[in-house]
Amino acid sequence: LSWRLATAAGESLILLGDGAGAARSDVLVRAFRIADGQPVWTARLEGSYRTSARGLGIAYVVHARADERGRATNELSAVDLSTGEVLATRSFEEPLAPDIVVADDAVLVFRVRTDGARARQEAVTLDGSSLSLRGTVEMRDVAAFDDVGAYAQGSGVVAALSDRRKLVGIAVATGAAVWEHDVSGAEVRSFHAVADGFVVVDTKDQLARIDAATGDAVWRRDVAGRHTIGWQGLAVADGLVVATVVPPGGAADSTAVALDAATGDELWRATLALRRGTSANPMPVICRDVVAYEVNERVSNRVYDSRVVLLSRTDGAQLQTLSHPSIGQYFQQVVYDRGILALARPGELAVYGSER
């Protein structure tokens, strides 16, 4: 089996294991005690692993298997993280997109429907425990496997892409659309929801704060000028918005721009000073008093310079660089939680206290 660390739940670590492409293998969800590493429970799900999400004390796992007629079926299973009990399973004839949104007492998945040569997504809102259907909303012009959903805590609404230039608000309680927001002809690239009930939208050159309950724009800011906001170059947390501005010549002269989330006012700019002529994808993570930038620069054919650059949240001053030169691999995940900064790549996990 190929194992992946999923989450921590109470006094246990939860791991997911699957056959990593084997012709016949089930998915295992297994809990181990943090104190001594002993197994606590195991849940077995038929088929091969596709994607997962955690929330409400439940692991939501999408797994694919063949039905009695040999047709491929995608199933969503809800596994109780305290007992390992499979609470419910729901089948879908259509493929499911990688994005799963857990919101209040509901879970949203996005099924991919094919209409001739065109594939589109449909948002499906389900009860978080029973997986019974609450409602569906068609996403009119969204590519088959785009990440499209985000939940703003406390709003009762999931914001999702309705088409490339429009957002739709989906009520968690009913699964129905409650508002639409046109982003004025710009193309939405990514958006993030935060705990204060709003969504920040990235449209390549502009940022906009959208009220998640009403769909109204609170502010819009042109932060990039003639440049663009980098792909996955947006983070929102604790009243701060950080965007990565990338010039036409490439990522070497990328700049971090910090805004006040409440007003949209610019607080500071900081140059990331990356190598020229290398492939880099700087992605920010807001970690209490610092902004951590994941940077993976290709030095040669199979060698990467994988670094995390720490900037001061107050003024953008560079505090420290955590460097991990790597052969053939780069950081796949940067996670910040409970004062700990964890960096993961195949074969290695590096963990730092936030004050260092």
Side-chain angles (χ1 to χ4, degrees), residues 11-271:
E11 301 302 318
S12 299
L13 289 175
I14 311 299
L15 281 79
L16 290 168
D18 74 311
R24 178 70 178 86
S25 176
D26 294 340
V27 181
L28 298 183
V29 186
R30 181 168 290 172
F32 295 88
R33 276 199 301 266
I34 294 174
D36 56 15
Q38 292 301 306
V40 181
W41 53 257
T42 299
R44 182 181 296 272
L45 307 174
E46 186 177 345
S48 56
Y49 175 83
R50 289 293 180 264
T51 187
S52 62
R54 277 78 60 193
L56 312 175
I58 296 171
Y60 298 97
V61 183
V62 175
H63 46 111
R65 66 180 184 87
D67 64 13
E68 296 81 2
R69 300 179 183 179
R71 298 175 302 183
T73 300
N74 289 275
E75 294 189 337
L76 173 68
S77 292
V79 181
D80 189 306
L81 290 178
S82 60
T83 65
E85 178 187 359
V86 179
L87 301 175
T89 296
R90 189 179 185 91
S91 297
F92 296 86
E93 294 183 358
E94 308 87 353
L96 295 178
D99 213 17
I100 300 175
V101 180
V102 182
D104 293 345
D105 61 347
V107 58
L108 278 78
V109 295
F110 300 86
R111 61 185 170 193
V112 181
R113 293 185 176 274
T114 302
D115 182 11
R118 178 173 170 266
R120 57 183 173 80
Q121 288 196 22
E122 185 177 58
V124 182
T125 304
L126 307 170
D127 180 85
S129 298
S130 67
L131 300 185
S132 58
L133 180 65
R134 291 187 179 177
T136 62
V137 175
E138 181 181 345
M139 325 304 284
R140 287 190 291 271
D141 185 22
V142 179
F145 290 99
D146 280 353
D147 290 343
V148 297
Y151 179 57
Q153 294 288 340
S155 66
V157 175
V158 169
L161 285 177
S162 175
D163 60 39
R164 295 289 184 173
R165 292 170 173 80
K166 189 171 291 185
L167 297 178
V168 60
I170 301 172
V172 171
T174 64
V178 291
W179 55 256
E180 286 190 345
H181 179 89
D182 194 320
V183 294
S184 304
E187 181 176 327
V188 176
R189 286 162 53 92
S190 62
F191 55 93
H192 291 248
V194 295
D196 296 330
F198 66 88
V199 177
V200 176
V201 181
D202 160 19
T203 60
K204 288 190 179 179
D205 56 355
Q206 278 195 341
L207 294 178
R209 170 176 165 157
I210 310 298
D211 187 296
T214 65
D216 296 332
V218 178
W219 51 256
R220 298 180 187 274
R221 295 291 182 270
D222 184 347
V223 299
R226 293 176 299 169
H227 303 167
T228 60
I229 298 171
W231 181 249
Q232 294 184 323
L234 180 65
V236 185
D238 302 327
L240 189 70
V241 178
V242 178
T244 310
V245 176
V246 180
D253 295 319
S254 295
T255 301
V257 181
L259 306 178
D260 186 302
T263 65
D265 294 339
E266 184 172 320
L267 302 177
W268 50 260
R269 288 182 177 241
T271 301

